[in-house]
Amino acid sequence: MSHRIAFYELEDGRGIKLLGAGRVPGQELVASNQVFQERFGERFRGAEFWLSDYRELDASEVSVDHSRSIANIAMGTGRSDLVLAILCTRQLEFAMTRMWEGQAAPTGWTMAVFNDPASMDDWFVEHLGRTVDPDHLAMLASWVPPEFPLAAADLLPHGVDKGPCLGE
C-alpha cells in the first residue's frame, strides 16, 4: 500500500507539478496540500500554472469531505489567476476531481480535468500559448504503441523469464 505525493517546481517557479502515485489516502492528499501552502505558498505566489498528474495512481481514498477540504485550501490562496490542469486516467479519480473542480470554482482559476495527456497538452497550449511539461511531451513523442495481441514470445527478448503455460 505504498504511495507518493510530491511537488515539483517547473520552469524556474512559473509552474508547479503535483504528482500522486500508488494508493493515496485522502487525508494525506489534504495534508500535503495544506503543508505545501503553508511552507511554499508565498514562494509560488507568482506561479502561473499548476499541473496535477495522477497517472500513476493505483487507487485513491478521497471522499467528498476530503475534496471539499482541498477546495477550501485552494480558495484560501487568495489567487484568481492560476491556470490549472489535472490529469486523471482512472475513472473514479477523474469523477472525484471533476467534483472538486466544481467545489473550487469560486477561486476563479482557469481549470480543467483530463483523462488524456494529449488533450491536456492542447489545453495548455490554448491557455498559456505553450505546453508545460517537456518530459511528458518527449515521452509521448517517443512512444510507439505495441501491436496487439501481445504474445509471450514478444516479452522474452525483453528479459521476461519463461513461465508456466496457462492451465498447468
Side-chain angles (χ1 to χ4, degrees):
M1 251 208 244
S2 67
H3 65 279
R4 181 171 51 132
I5 301 169
F7 293 89
Y8 301 92
E9 180 178 342
L10 299 174
E11 298 182 10
D12 296 320
R14 290 178 29 195
I16 303 159
K17 180 176 182 177
L18 165 62
L19 176 68
R23 185 177 194 91
V24 176
Q27 190 54 43
E28 288 201 29
L29 192 56
V30 172
S32 66
N33 276 272
Q34 185 66 46
V35 168
F36 178 84
Q37 288 303 327
E38 290 169 1
R39 292 188 186 167
F40 305 108
E42 194 59 40
R43 176 177 172 193
F44 288 103
R45 188 149 315 275
E48 61 181 292
F49 67 88
W50 181 294
L51 164 61
S52 291
D53 184 346
Y54 298 117
R55 284 176 291 172
E56 295 181 26
L57 276 184
D58 296 327
S60 69
E61 299 162 359
V62 177
S63 69
V64 173
D65 289 336
H66 295 132
S67 178
R68 189 175 300 111
S69 294
I70 297 168
N72 288 336
I73 293 166
M75 288 184 279
T77 65
R79 294 195 56 185
S80 61
D81 59 342
L82 194 64
V83 174
L84 169 71
I86 303 171
L87 181 58
C88 295
T89 52
R90 294 174 41 89
Q91 284 187 338
L92 176 61
E93 287 75 15
F94 180 84
M96 290 296 290
T97 304
R98 291 284 306 187
M99 179 183 62
W100 175 87
E101 183 182 22
Q103 293 169 330
T107 61
W109 296 349
T110 301
M111 59 184 145
V113 180
F114 301 91
N115 60 6
D116 152 45
S119 296
M120 182 194 68
D121 288 336
D122 292 344
W123 184 84
F124 267 127
V125 169
E126 178 183 336
H127 291 289
L128 291 176
R130 67 187 190 290
T131 189
V132 300
D133 193 357
D135 293 336
H136 173 68
L137 278 184
M139 185 268 308
L140 282 178
S142 66
W143 184 69
V144 177
E147 290 189 31
F148 290 98
L150 290 176
D154 297 320
L155 302 176
L156 292 174
H158 298 283
V160 177
D161 291 334
K162 202 172 193 178
C165 294
L166 281 174
E168 285 186 2

